Amino acid sequence: MSVKITPIPQPRAAIVPAANSPFPIRVLPGVALCVAVTLAALALEHAEAALFGRAWLEALVLAILIGTAVRTAWPPGARWRPGIEFSAKTLLEVAVVLLGASVSAATVLAIGPWMLLGIAGVVAVAILASYGIGRLLGLPVRMALLVACGNSICGNSAIAAVAPVIGADGDDVAASIAFTAVLGVMAVLGLPLLAPLLGLTGHQYGVLAGLTVYAVPQVLAATAPIAAIAVQVGTLVKLVRVLMLGPVVLTLSLLAPRLREETDEPAPHVTAGDRPKAGRLPLHRLLPWFILGFLAMIALRSLGAIPDALLPPLATAATALTVVSMAALGLGVDVRVVARAGGPVTAAVVLSLVVLGAISLGLIRLLGVA
């Protein structure tokens, strides 16, 4: 069985206008669009507070919703995509690094060695369970692996890293990325509702969000409405989960060599044109620079190298950049891809997310997270 979906236009291929112009000129329109969406989200947040006494939906979530609405009504053209990509990736990575200054050594120690082992265990079990679900629903092997790794580790980043290793074709990659984008937004909107329903503390909810939400920016958006400790713990757990990408890719490259072999029928790939060749991924794909930056900021904060007077401005800058990246995330989401992808993919991704949430709650209860 092969799941077919119209490939999503890729930002890299879309940088046609002003290709020789300076980098700031190329990204300026898209960044300006993201900032405009951010300002609209902030205005709505203030309007909520004025009308209801509090903001029920914070700017982080509103930016995603507004961006998604804009993308659905008016897909941004090639002029806007470089800046949207820059805002969604680079600005977010800078925000994550700055966020490290707000994480204290006590928060890191609160994770503990058992939680670190638990995160690795959750990722391993979730990959196996998601892969099994996908195969039972009739997904091809490569597609099932992409869905499993995307759900269990870090969404699009995991899919992009795993695809060349297993030789995934363009249709499978496009479908997997589309669903992580759409369902990731749904998780951001729905997960905060579970905190009061399940009686979770801020710490417990941070662990749950870090273990289940696909991407780092989505973790920030999902935890911000709950508590500051939820943001700190959720981000830290999520980044530890991202670090599992290296061992997973290495394991796949060793245990699944047949998946990397060329086939007689060429297949398009959304990032490389043809089916990618087997080979080793560069180190920066397995250990992103912003994770090292985040850990370095934690170390500097713990050593007292960051003056206390700088902490509030750094936190404000991290929040502002995060909201802008949320707007970019929304501008990259097309809700119509769900209808085009078909039932098996929909069921596989949704069931995998449910299983991941159940495993994560089980770990929280098993370790007695306070």
Side-chain angles (χ1 to χ4, degrees):
M1 173 181 175
S2 178
V3 178
K4 297 295 182 183
I5 183 174
T6 303
I8 300 173
Q10 296 300 304
R12 292 184 184 278
I15 306 178
V16 177
N20 297 323
S21 60
F23 177 75
I25 302 299
R26 295 201 307 271
V27 303
L28 185 58
V31 172
L33 178 61
C34 294
V35 171
V37 172
T38 298
L39 293 176
L42 291 172
L44 283 178
E45 183 184 54
H46 285 298
E48 282 186 273
L51 291 173
F52 306 112
R54 60 164 294 184
W56 294 97
L57 291 178
E58 301 206 2
L60 285 167
V61 177
L62 289 170
I64 296 176
L65 294 176
I66 296 172
T68 302
V70 171
R71 166 64 187 268
T72 303
W74 169 72
R79 176 189 180 191
W80 311 93
R81 290 175 192 154
I84 293 174
E85 182 187 65
F86 175 79
S87 299
K89 184 178 186 298
T90 305
L91 293 186
L92 166 68
E93 292 171 347
V94 174
V96 171
V97 172
L98 296 179
L99 186 64
S102 66
V103 180
S104 63
T107 304
V108 177
L109 294 175
I111 295 294
W114 290 112
M115 177 58 70
L116 296 178
L117 292 175
I119 294 171
V122 166
V123 170
V125 173
I127 288 177
L128 293 174
S130 297
Y131 176 75
I133 290 171
R135 295 296 288 156
L136 286 174
L137 291 173
L139 297 187
V141 174
R142 291 186 181 93
M143 180 66 171
L145 279 173
L146 290 178
V147 169
C149 293
N151 273 4
S152 306
I153 306 175
C154 52
N156 293 356
S157 298
I159 292 169
V162 170
V165 176
I166 66 175
D169 64 39
D171 288 337
D172 290 346
V173 174
S176 303
I177 288 178
F179 267 88
T180 56
V182 175
L183 291 184
V185 171
M186 294 174 62
V188 167
L189 299 177
L191 197 62
L193 302 177
L194 292 180
L197 292 177
L198 299 178
L200 300 176
T201 65
H203 195 156
Q204 291 171 331
Y205 178 79
V207 173
L208 177 64
L211 287 172
T212 56
V213 178
Y214 293 143
V216 175
Q218 295 167 352
V219 172
L220 299 180
T223 53
I226 303 302
I229 186 64
V231 176
Q232 296 177 5
V233 172
T235 303
L236 192 59
V237 170
K238 175 60 188 174
L239 292 181
V240 173
R241 186 172 152 212
V242 171
L243 290 175
M244 290 297 297
L245 180 60
V248 168
V249 170
L250 177 61
T251 300
L252 285 175
S253 67
L254 294 175
L255 299 182
R258 287 178 297 178
L259 294 175
R260 294 174 291 153
E261 295 176 356
E262 291 293 322
T263 61
D264 294 333
E265 179 182 357
H269 188 267
V270 296
T271 57
D274 296 327
R275 189 184 298 281
K277 303 288 185 181
R280 297 180 180 178
L281 287 177
L283 181 61
H284 74 273
R285 292 288 297 276
L286 302 179
L287 189 62
W289 74 271
F290 65 90
I291 294 181
L292 296 176
F294 178 83
L295 297 175
M297 291 294 279
I298 293 177
L300 292 174
R301 165 76 185 274
S302 302
L303 294 173
I306 301 178
D308 291 340
L310 286 181
L311 296 180
L314 288 175
T316 300
T319 300
L321 291 175
T322 301
V323 178
V324 174
S325 69
M326 291 299 99
L329 178 66
L331 289 168
V333 172
D334 187 353
V335 295
R336 290 167 294 196
V337 298
V338 176
R340 298 201 302 263
V345 184
T346 304
V349 177
V350 172
L351 288 176
S352 297
L353 183 59
V354 171
V355 169
L356 178 59
I359 296 172
S360 301
L361 285 173
L363 178 66
I364 291 171
R365 303 303 182 192
L366 177 65
L367 298 182
V369 178

